[in-house]
Amino acid sequence: MRKDFAAFILTHGRPDNVITYKTLRRDGYTGDIFIVIDDEDDTADAYHKRYGDEVLTFNKAEIATTFDTGDLSTRDRLSIVYARNAVWKLAEQVGVRYFIQLDDDYTAFSYKMVGVKHDAARPDYWHGWKLKRLDAVFEMMVVFLEQTPTKSIALVQGGEQIGGASSHMGLWKLKRKAMNSFICDVERPFTFVGRINDDVNTYVQQGATGSLFFTYSALRLDQIATQDNPGGMSSTYRDTGTYIKSFYSVMYAPSSVTIRTIGFVSPRLHHRVHWNHAVPKIVAETHRRLK
Amino acid sequence: MPSARPIRTTKLVSLADIQPHPENYNHGDPDAIGDSLDRHGQFRAIVVSEVTGNILAGSHTFIAAKQSGDLKMLAHLLPNLTPEEEISIMVADNRIADLAHTDDHILAGHLQTLSETESGLVGTGWDADNYDDLMSDLWPSQTFEQDDDGKYTRKVESPVYEPTGERPPIASLTDSTPTDNLRADIEAADLTDDETAFLVAAANRHTVFRYDEIANYYAHAPANIQRLMEASALVIIDFDAAIERGFVQLNETTAALFKSEYPDA
């Protein structure tokens, strides 16, 4: 793995359950891994005991002054946005230019490809295929960052492939969003905004003014459902559900994000991004007049 | 022919008062049903034996609702059933559903329509994998294309937008209706000039930009307007086709990596 790259796993309160660490190693990542915790984590000692020098701690109160949380809440600072914004400085601290920042509960990386798998009688169909060469995958995505003006590129989440506007995953495509597995360049920094739903807030707010965020459809990661894994963001979502979460993104992009209800028996609110209103189109240079 | 056991009533029943039939042999998927309940609500009443509270149809809907924390469900209550009649209804409900024949072409059309909505396939019992299996079985050429060796590969959708049509009228590039409504309220209020200016600026955040039309307009605009549009990030120019080429390289490298890991795939 190239030496100017590292993986940062953002975690809080579950030192014995940093699933992503094992997943990275199992799936072929040989580079540096850093466990990012905050200085308000009661389980910090356990993290240090288990991961030693790989643990990096950031000052949560300090980072909280550097970005807009989108609210006036002083109740807690449990959301992941603090760690997301702290990673930039930590990356400089450990001397890498490129990094991926990941949640701590990823269980698998895989390809979404066409191929013969279990059933030779059906010669061509596609599925998730477990990745074994994660080094090469990350290096490939860094090359994409080097070659394009992209702020961040991400792998698609397993659940994200099911539905969503223009989400037909039979295609090789780049979606104009990035969530949960941000591959970034310290020389092209951006700030995550909003205490909750920070990924959506960030790609709609900054995407509207020309920042490029991409999710690559051919590579996928799987994650434990938020509510199933104790610690982390679970308590925040349990407290507020998707009700408050969704409104954060509306505040940041009121012309392109709306709220809708899903469900009837237990209706809840969820955000909807209207993509044609959210981000400017990428247009070939051939359409550009010189005079 | 009159039904042998007419439904006595259909009403909301407490989940505490009913239970799955103890001899139910069918194993459903409460998680999939839960997703459906989230999306659709309960669109069909479950069937309950009024005397025993045994659920004869909809046991897993009951389990999913209970897991979601629901307290009541809509149920058809059937009166005075014997134990044999309870089992007969339960068996019939399961078996008759099994006897149904699916027209995959019509189904695939519905799934494709749904997959293009915001909620996608969530709650339908279908997911991306089995949907794509179905699509590739029925219409391999629509999802896939064949390479020079005759093997199927996925189609590619470029991230670069291709402007189309004549130059659209400038009025079609945005929708200021929400902004105009806010502005009318602001201007009708008793405010200082500074307050009005601030609130009008805030109201402008609600103006909807139609980026496809904006890109179409850009393609016809003179150079000086194009520069201003670029400066406002109304379009993103793919200089030297960097994004397009980067995307192609991503695909080629991914395909090569996949091939190296799964040479027989």
Side-chain angles (χ1 to χ4, degrees), chain A residues 249-265:
Chain A
S249 299
V250 176
M251 287 193 298
Y252 281 105
S255 64
S256 62
V257 182
T258 55
I259 294 293
R260 66 197 172 99
T261 58
I262 52 177
F264 298 96
V265 174

Side-chain angles (χ1 to χ4, degrees), chain A residues 111-116 122 124-133 136-137 140-141 143-144 147-149 153 161-174 176 208-212 214 216-220 250-252 254-255 260 262-266 268 271-273 275-285 287-291, chain B residues 37-42 68 70 115-122 126-129 131-134 136-137 143-144 151-157 159-163 205-212 215 218-223 226-227 230 233-243 246-247 249-251 253-255 257-258 260-262 264-265:
Chain A
Y111 302 102
K112 286 288 289 183
M113 299 294 283
V114 183
V116 179
R122 303 175 64 211
D124 294 294
Y125 67 107
W126 63 319
H127 251 294
W129 302 69
K130 298 300 179 196
L131 254 165
K132 302 169 195 166
R133 296 185 60 192
V137 165
M140 169 187 76
M141 296 175 90
V143 168
F144 181 81
Q147 294 177 338
T148 68
I153 183 168
Q161 297 199 25
I162 303 171
S166 66
S167 71
H168 181 30
M169 285 298 145
L171 306 172
W172 298 80
K173 68 190 295 185
L174 287 169
R176 297 283 295 275
T209 49
S211 292
L212 287 170
F214 288 120
Y216 183 45
S217 69
L219 298 168
R220 153 179 160 175
V250 176
M251 287 193 298
Y252 281 105
S255 64
R260 66 197 172 99
I262 52 177
F264 298 96
V265 174
S266 305
R268 55 196 166 88
H271 69 263
R272 175 181 182 183
V273 177
W275 283 103
N276 192 42
H277 306 157
V279 292
K281 300 292 186 189
I282 301 167
V283 175
E285 191 180 2
H287 293 286
R288 189 172 192 262
R289 299 176 201 279
L290 295 179
K291 57 183 180 180
Chain B
L37 289 174
D38 281 346
R39 178 169 183 171
H40 308 110
Q42 186 189 357
S68 298
D70 293 339
S115 75
E116 290 165 359
T117 67
E118 178 66 18
S119 297
L121 302 178
V122 173
W126 286 79
D127 63 20
D129 280 340
Y131 165 54
D132 286 315
D133 282 350
L134 176 70
S136 59
D137 280 350
T143 304
F144 308 117
K151 295 200 71 173
Y152 285 103
T153 59
R154 292 191 296 168
K155 282 189 172 179
V156 176
E157 180 179 297
V160 176
Y161 178 78
E162 184 57 40
R205 296 163 63 242
H206 296 266
T207 298
V208 173
F209 286 72
R210 298 188 178 114
Y211 287 110
D212 54 353
Y218 173 89
H220 296 279
Q226 285 192 336
R227 295 301 89 76
E230 293 161 15
L234 289 167
V235 292
I236 297 168
I237 303 305
D238 187 18
F239 287 106
D240 297 324
I243 298 168
F247 175 57
Q249 187 170 335
L250 263 187
N251 292 340
T253 308
T254 301
L257 286 171
F258 176 69
S260 72
E261 293 198 45
Y262 296 96
D264 298 326

Side-chain angles (χ1 to χ4, degrees), chain A residues 47-59:
Chain A
Y47 277 110
H48 284 289
K49 189 174 178 183
R50 191 172 187 116
Y51 294 101
D53 293 341
E54 291 180 311
V55 178
L56 299 174
T57 306
F58 69 93
N59 182 320

Side-chain angles (χ1 to χ4, degrees), chain A residues 3-252:
Chain A
K3 296 300 178 191
D4 60 351
F5 181 91
F8 293 88
I9 301 174
L10 317 184
T11 181
H12 179 97
R14 42 193 183 203
D16 298 326
N17 201 25
V18 183
I19 299 165
T20 303
Y21 192 103
K22 294 175 191 166
T23 304
L24 284 168
R25 292 300 188 218
R26 184 198 65 204
D27 293 346
Y29 175 67
T30 62
D32 289 332
I33 299 177
F34 295 101
I35 306 292
V36 177
I37 64 171
D38 60 80
D39 59 356
E40 298 174 4
D41 193 329
D42 294 336
T43 63
D45 288 346
Y47 277 110
H48 284 289
K49 189 174 178 183
R50 191 172 187 116
Y51 294 101
D53 293 341
E54 291 180 311
V55 178
L56 299 174
T57 306
F58 69 93
N59 182 320
K60 206 167 194 177
E62 184 179 295
I63 200 75
T65 65
T66 65
F67 66 97
D68 175 21
T69 57
D71 60 24
L72 300 175
S73 173
T74 55
R75 186 171 57 91
D76 61 50
R77 292 195 290 252
L78 285 179
S79 73
I80 198 169
V81 66
Y82 303 92
R84 286 212 206 284
N85 283 321
V87 166
W88 299 97
K89 194 173 175 183
L90 297 176
E92 290 182 7
Q93 183 183 314
V94 300
V96 295
R97 173 164 176 183
Y98 300 100
F99 62 87
I100 184 169
Q101 53 169 282
L102 299 155
D103 293 1
D104 62 1
D105 53 356
Y106 295 140
T107 56
F109 294 88
S110 54
Y111 302 102
K112 286 288 289 183
M113 299 294 283
V114 183
V116 179
K117 202 169 187 184
H118 305 300
D119 184 357
R122 303 175 64 211
D124 294 294
Y125 67 107
W126 63 319
H127 251 294
W129 302 69
K130 298 300 179 196
L131 254 165
K132 302 169 195 166
R133 296 185 60 192
L134 211 40
D135 278 358
V137 165
F138 288 163
E139 288 187 356
M140 169 187 76
M141 296 175 90
V142 168
V143 168
F144 181 81
L145 284 189
E146 290 174 327
Q147 294 177 338
T148 68
T150 302
K151 291 270 187 174
S152 185
I153 183 168
L155 291 78
V156 71
Q157 273 185 268
E160 195 187 334
Q161 297 199 25
I162 303 171
S166 66
S167 71
H168 181 30
M169 285 298 145
L171 306 172
W172 298 80
K173 68 190 295 185
L174 287 169
K175 298 166 74 175
R176 297 283 295 275
K177 61 194 293 191
M179 300 172 72
N180 294 6
S181 59
F182 300 90
I183 294 178
C184 304
D185 176 353
V186 294
E187 295 187 7
R188 219 175 284 165
F190 59 92
T191 302
F192 292 91
V193 291
R195 191 167 64 91
I196 314 177
N197 229 24
D198 58 281
D199 43 14
V200 179
N201 306 337
T202 301
Y203 68 66
V204 293
Q205 187 204 44
Q206 297 176 37
T209 49
S211 292
L212 287 170
F213 296 88
F214 288 120
T215 293
Y216 183 45
S217 69
L219 298 168
R220 153 179 160 175
L221 57 81
D222 292 315
Q223 182 179 28
I224 293 178
T226 303
Q227 305 288 350
D228 293 343
N229 199 15
M233 290 288 286
S234 303
S235 58
T236 300
Y237 288 141
R238 253 198 312 275
D239 289 348
T240 64
T242 55
Y243 176 81
I244 292 177
K245 180 174 183 275
S246 301
F247 276 105
Y248 277 76
S249 299
V250 176
M251 287 193 298
Y252 281 105

